[in-house]
Amino acid sequence: MAGAITTLGIGSGLDLQNILDQLKTAEKAPITAKETQKTELQEKINAYNGVNSKLFSMKSSALSLSLESDFLNTKTSVSDEDILTATANNGIESSSHSIEVVQKAVFSSWQTDGVPSKDTIIYEGPDTGIASKDESVTTESSTMAIKYGALESQQAIDIDLNPGMSLTQIVGVINSSEANKDEEGNLIVMASLGTIEDGDFYIRLASASPGDSADSQVSVEGADFAVADVTISIGKAGDEDPMYLSVAPGTTYEQIAADINAASDNPGVTASIVDTGTSENPFKLTLTANNTGEENRLVIQNLPMAEMTGADQASLNAIFKVNGVEYQRQTNSGITDVISGVTLNFKKAGETSLGVQRNLDPVKENIKSLVKGFNELIAEIKGSDGDSTSTEDEDDELTSPLADSFDMKSLLSKLSSLITTSINPDSQYINLVDLGVEINKDGTMSLDEDKLEQAVEADPDAVQTLFIGDADAGITGLGDIIDDGITEMVSSQGLVSTEIDSAQIRMENLDKSIEAATARLDKEYDTMTKQFILLDKTISSLNAQSTAMNTIIDSFTKTTEK
């Protein structure tokens, strides 16, 4: 019955599917072998890439050792870094200095006497006793003398007062006086009514033009009921253009501090209200220069303050001695013009010593890295920690696909020879062995760091010559020799790159071969499957015929026996 068989072997009763699968597995053995070869090649490529990585790391150390700049580093040593710190430019000569910091540079500062509150008024209005702005305040004819402008170029504004005038009337006269107008008819001094805390009135005089300057100062004489805004000035010593600020009567300490800090022409000063913590009058207005030194000494006028730091002309500069010679500077840090190539930073007064030496620490670190890199390369190739004292059973598989590679052993031999190359400079060090590098029995290297330290300290110039060479004498330095040798090893034509390229080509060919073989096997399997299906059907048909024949024979036999 065609089409009745749905699973191979059901019709015939034979395990045809298992037979077919076994045949396919046997035919697939060559493909499996090629896939194993691919895996092994990939492991080799990974191992070669690891070798290349270690070589590049060693090349970096060798390249640094070939650069003269690495031998020009300097370092400073200060016997007491609580007094000063110092840095030195690379390439300067070694030297030593005695330094005494006599005093640090300080900030110029001024301070008022203490007051009860931050809201205390710094400039009171006049005590007039005038309770009404409209009551008469003059008993006879007089002149109010108003002066406007800087001291050397003041403009006089005289206001005639008649008997029986009130404050309101006087304000009107001042503001309408032709003497109080400039050439363009603009008001020069503005008069207004003000009150003090007890409610009494007075006349306030202020510049009518916006902005504060020396030319906007106002003063008044001849009227005890009038007061002008106080113009304060804050500047630096020798500064011809200080900051001016007009302060109105009734201004508090806190307000004037805020006005000073917010001024657009602030010369570099910070105002603050400090609480001294005393039981009486604890608040003081303090002005402090933003930078240290004499060039930033504050000069203050028309503020009730006393000079604190720098009082009695005490110097604000840093004063110090280098090798007995005294210097003064405006700042405590970034002093570069006393010891050539050295930057000084003062922290407190005191005596200390400063040494400037060559710093070959980077050189020592690169030598250590070179040795470490070589040992890591051996471990990469051997597939171990590079320790030859460890033992393994002879039957154990090698942990690296390169462990038995003659080419890799040859590479290690060449690299070892490179590192231990001797040159012939006119100095006491001719190779790395002289600096403490040793070759161990297992091929690894070790470094006697004490010997390296002693060599560097004893003759740093000889260490430099060993690695940099001597162009005048035609001697190539060990740094260039090692760097050039490793450069050749890691080049595209080098052994490692060549092996990687070869392995990749073989992997590509295996991929193609596996693909083609798999396609052929799949085709053969399809054909065999069809043949097994026909076989299953044929056997099933024969089995059916055999069953029918046996039935007939059985029936005939029974009939005959009767």
Side-chain angles (χ1 to χ4, degrees):
M1 295 174 59
I5 301 173
T6 58
T7 301
L8 189 62
I10 289 179
S12 64
L14 300 175
D15 192 1
L16 296 179
Q17 183 64 54
N18 185 45
I19 295 171
L20 186 61
D21 290 341
Q22 289 180 10
L23 289 172
K24 185 176 181 181
T25 299
E27 291 291 332
K28 193 178 179 181
I31 297 176
T32 303
K34 291 177 181 179
E35 288 174 340
T36 300
Q37 291 178 44
K38 248 187 79 175
T39 300
E40 291 172 351
L41 284 172
Q42 185 60 58
E43 290 175 352
K44 278 192 174 183
I45 289 174
N46 294 340
Y48 280 128
N49 283 328
V51 169
N52 245 359
S53 175
K54 296 296 187 295
L55 286 172
F56 272 110
S57 178
M58 293 181 68
K59 173 178 165 54
S60 176
S61 298
L63 177 61
S64 294
L65 289 169
S66 71
L67 301 175
E68 186 176 3
S69 58
D70 262 24
F71 294 85
L72 298 179
N73 294 320
T74 58
K75 60 182 178 181
T76 60
S77 57
V78 179
S79 60
D80 189 344
E81 291 193 344
D82 288 336
I83 295 174
L84 66 85
T85 59
T87 57
N89 297 338
N90 291 335
I92 67 172
E93 294 294 329
S94 299
S95 60
S96 59
H97 309 272
S98 63
I99 300 178
E100 177 186 1
V101 180
V102 179
Q103 73 170 39
K104 289 180 61 179
V106 293
F107 299 91
S108 175
S109 65
W110 291 63
Q111 195 172 68
T112 64
D113 291 337
V115 293
S117 166
K118 294 184 290 185
D119 295 327
T120 300
I121 294 173
I122 193 167
Y123 289 118
E124 296 279 359
D127 186 10
T128 63
I130 302 173
S132 172
K133 60 184 178 180
D134 295 320
E135 70 178 70
S136 174
V137 297
T138 59
T139 58
E140 59 184 21
S141 297
S142 61
T143 300
M144 178 187 293
I146 302 174
K147 293 183 179 180
Y148 177 79
L151 293 177
E152 64 275 7
S153 59
Q154 284 183 335
Q155 177 178 346
I157 303 172
D158 293 334
I159 304 296
D160 294 330
L161 303 179
N162 298 319
M165 295 181 72
S166 68
L167 295 183
T168 301
Q169 290 172 328
I170 296 172
V171 167
V173 170
I174 295 171
N175 291 336
S176 61
S177 172
E178 290 300 319
N180 191 18
K181 303 285 180 64
D182 61 16
E183 295 179 353
E184 297 178 355
N186 298 314
L187 190 64
I188 298 174
V189 174
M190 171 70 73
S192 60
L193 291 173
T195 58
I196 57 177
E197 288 186 349
D198 60 6
D200 287 346
F201 289 89
Y202 68 93
I203 294 176
R204 175 192 171 190
L205 300 175
S207 173
S209 60
D212 297 322
S213 68
D215 293 331
S216 63
Q217 298 181 74
V218 180
S219 63
V220 60
E221 295 178 357
D224 56 7
F225 48 75
V227 64
D229 286 1
V230 176
T231 300
I232 65 172
S233 68
I234 303 173
K236 298 177 182 177
D239 189 353
E240 296 181 356
D241 188 21
M243 177 188 88
Y244 290 92
L245 183 66
S246 292
V247 182
T251 299
T252 65
Y253 278 75
E254 187 171 40
Q255 287 171 339
I256 195 171
D259 290 342
I260 291 171
N261 292 333
S264 60
D265 55 349
N266 184 305
V269 61
T270 298
S272 58
I273 305 296
V274 297
D275 184 352
T276 62
T278 59
S279 58
E280 294 184 2
N281 300 325
F283 294 96
K284 295 184 178 183
L285 170 64
T286 298
L287 298 183
T288 306
N290 294 342
N291 296 300
T292 58
E294 282 295 326
E295 291 180 359
N296 295 290
R297 180 183 286 274
L298 298 179
V299 177
I300 299 172
Q301 293 182 345
N302 292 341
L303 269 175
M305 309 188 80
E307 191 170 18
M308 305 304 289
T309 52
D312 300 324
Q313 295 304 306
S315 178
L316 300 172
N317 288 340
I319 302 175
F320 59 100
K321 295 179 181 179
V322 177
N323 301 327
V325 180
E326 185 172 292
Y327 300 87
Q328 290 194 28
R329 292 295 182 270
Q330 300 293 318
T331 181
N332 295 309
S333 60
I335 299 172
T336 60
D337 57 350
V338 175
I339 303 174
S340 180
V342 177
T343 300
L344 300 175
N345 304 290
F346 301 138
K347 299 172 73 174
K348 73 174 186 178
E351 297 184 19
T352 186
S353 60
L354 166 67
V356 180
Q357 303 91 21
R358 294 177 69 182
N359 180 17
L360 294 189
D361 289 345
V363 174
K364 290 184 285 186
E365 289 303 317
N366 280 315
I367 294 173
K368 294 176 187 177
S369 295
L370 194 64
V371 172
K372 180 183 177 183
F374 181 79
N375 292 335
E376 289 178 346
L377 181 61
I378 290 180
E380 183 75 27
I381 292 174
K382 287 185 176 181
S384 67
D385 60 3
D387 183 6
S388 63
T389 60
S390 62
T391 59
E392 295 181 358
D393 294 337
E394 291 183 0
D395 294 337
D396 286 349
E397 292 186 2
L398 297 173
T399 56
S400 169
L402 305 180
D404 282 338
S405 169
F406 173 80
D407 289 334
M408 289 297 98
K409 291 177 181 178
S410 175
L411 181 144
L412 287 175
S413 177
K414 290 179 181 178
L415 190 56
S416 178
S417 296
L418 269 178
I419 295 174
T420 56
T421 298
S422 295
I423 62 174
N424 296 304
D426 185 17
S427 68
Q428 59 177 318
Y429 308 135
I430 64 170
N431 54 37
L432 278 174
V433 175
D434 292 335
L435 301 184
V437 175
E438 298 176 358
I439 305 296
N440 303 317
K441 291 182 179 180
D442 63 353
T444 61
M445 292 184 179
S446 58
L447 176 63
D448 185 339
E449 294 189 18
D450 290 336
K451 186 175 181 179
L452 173 61
E453 185 70 32
Q454 291 168 6
V456 170
E457 292 295 327
D459 196 345
D461 289 333
V463 175
Q464 176 175 338
T465 302
L466 172 63
F467 288 103
I468 302 300
D470 188 340
D472 294 336
I475 298 173
T476 301
L478 189 58
D480 279 329
I481 291 174
I482 298 175
D483 181 53
D484 291 344
I486 297 179
T487 297
E488 183 178 345
M489 292 178 182
V490 297
S491 71
S492 60
Q493 304 301 317
L495 173 64
V496 178
S497 295
T498 301
E499 289 293 337
I500 291 175
D501 291 344
S502 175
Q504 288 176 334
I505 291 172
R506 291 172 62 191
M507 284 183 65
E508 291 172 0
N509 291 336
L510 282 171
D511 280 335
K512 294 177 181 178
S513 178
I514 290 170
E515 184 179 356
T518 301
R520 287 195 302 270
L521 180 59
D522 288 344
K523 186 175 181 180
E524 290 176 5
Y525 185 76
D526 288 343
T527 300
M528 290 173 65
T529 299
K530 291 176 182 178
Q531 292 174 344
F532 270 53
I533 289 173
L534 290 175
L535 175 62
D536 193 35
K537 290 180 179 179
T538 301
I539 294 175
S540 176
S541 177
L542 291 174
N543 286 338
Q545 293 176 20
S546 174
T547 300
M549 183 62 68
N550 287 333
T551 300
I552 294 171
I553 293 172
D554 288 343
S555 177
F556 179 76
T557 301
K558 290 178 181 180
T559 302
T560 305
E561 289 178 350
K562 289 180 178 181

